[in-house]
């Protein structure tokens, strides 16, 4: 559970090696280098801490056959997805924990003040997310429902052409809980409608930063 990246790791190695060199050889240059590495290491961590203090993002993970979404606010996260991923196990340890450690998330919460939802429509700060993971029917109205993200999950029996009559998404996201053949079909429909499309099995986890 220790946050580290390649830069901070090498800085620590450099600091330890130079400090050990100073103890063995007693040359001031090694001690000064050790202090320099620790100073840069501290700057990296301070910068990372400032980023965490302001981070707001939505992550849709790439876990085959599973739905997994984190709404992240500072060091907290609200999880929406398959209940099996909330329990300790190989899937959670392999897919979710490393990402949460990298983002320096420390607590899972049941409620984030800026997160609201009603049925399929979610709002996180000023962004709207439509999550379709079951059979739904949207009747076309005078104005289309505008959303920042349209997430399709768990193989719902939906047609992009029909959805586009009632919904106007900025991007369509297809997660890894869907069948590959359905994803291929939906991607073709998005291409025909000139809709931006993101396939998580093909492109990896979807990370949406909120400014």
């Amino acid at each position: 559970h220790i946050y580290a990246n390649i830069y901070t790791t090498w800085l620590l190695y450099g600091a330890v090696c130079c400090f050990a060199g100073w103890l063995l050889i007693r040359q001031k240059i090694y001690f000064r280098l050790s202090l320099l590495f620790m100073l840069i290491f501290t700057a990296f961590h301070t910068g990372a801490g400032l980023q965490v203090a302001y981070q707001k993002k939505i992550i849709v993970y790439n876990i085959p056959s599973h739905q997994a979404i984190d709404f992240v606010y500072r060091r907290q996260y609200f999880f929406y997805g398959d209940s099996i991923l909330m329990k300790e196990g190989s899937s959670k340890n392999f897919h979710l924990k490393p990402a949460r450690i990298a983002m320096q998330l420390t607590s899972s919460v049941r409620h984030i003040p800026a997160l609201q939802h009603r049925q399929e429509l979610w709002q996180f700060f000023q962004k709207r997310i439509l999550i379709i993971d079951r059979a739904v029917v949207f009747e076309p109205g005078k104005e289309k429902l505008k959303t920042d993200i349209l997430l399709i999950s768990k193989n719902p029996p939906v047609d992009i052409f029909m959805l586009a009559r009632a919904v106007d998404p900025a991007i369509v996201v297809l997660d890894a809980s869907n069948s590959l053949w359905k994803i291929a079909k939906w991607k073709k429909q998005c291409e025909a409608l000139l809709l931006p499309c993101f396939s998580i099995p093909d492109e990896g986890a979807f990370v949406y930063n909120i400014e």
Side-chain angles (χ1 to χ4, degrees), residues 57-77:
K57 58 182 68 180
I58 302 163
I59 302 102
V60 186
Y61 293 96
N62 183 15
I63 307 178
S65 303
H66 289 294
Q67 180 191 61
I69 307 159
D70 270 346
F71 294 89
V72 175
Y73 178 55
R74 296 180 178 173
R75 294 183 182 270
Q76 300 178 332
Y77 65 92

Side-chain angles (χ1 to χ4, degrees), residues 182-196:
K182 275 196 171 183
I183 290 177
K185 171 189 171 184
W186 289 326
K187 284 177 67 176
K188 289 182 179 178
Q189 292 178 338
C190 288
E191 289 173 3
L193 293 169
L194 301 179
L195 277 176

Side-chain angles (χ1 to χ4, degrees), residues 85-104:
L85 296 174
M86 300 178 70
K87 302 175 183 177
E88 294 298 326
S90 58
S91 293
K92 180 179 179 180
N93 292 336
F94 184 78
H95 294 281
L96 301 181
K97 278 190 176 180
R100 289 167 179 169
I101 291 170
M103 290 183 287
Q104 302 185 56

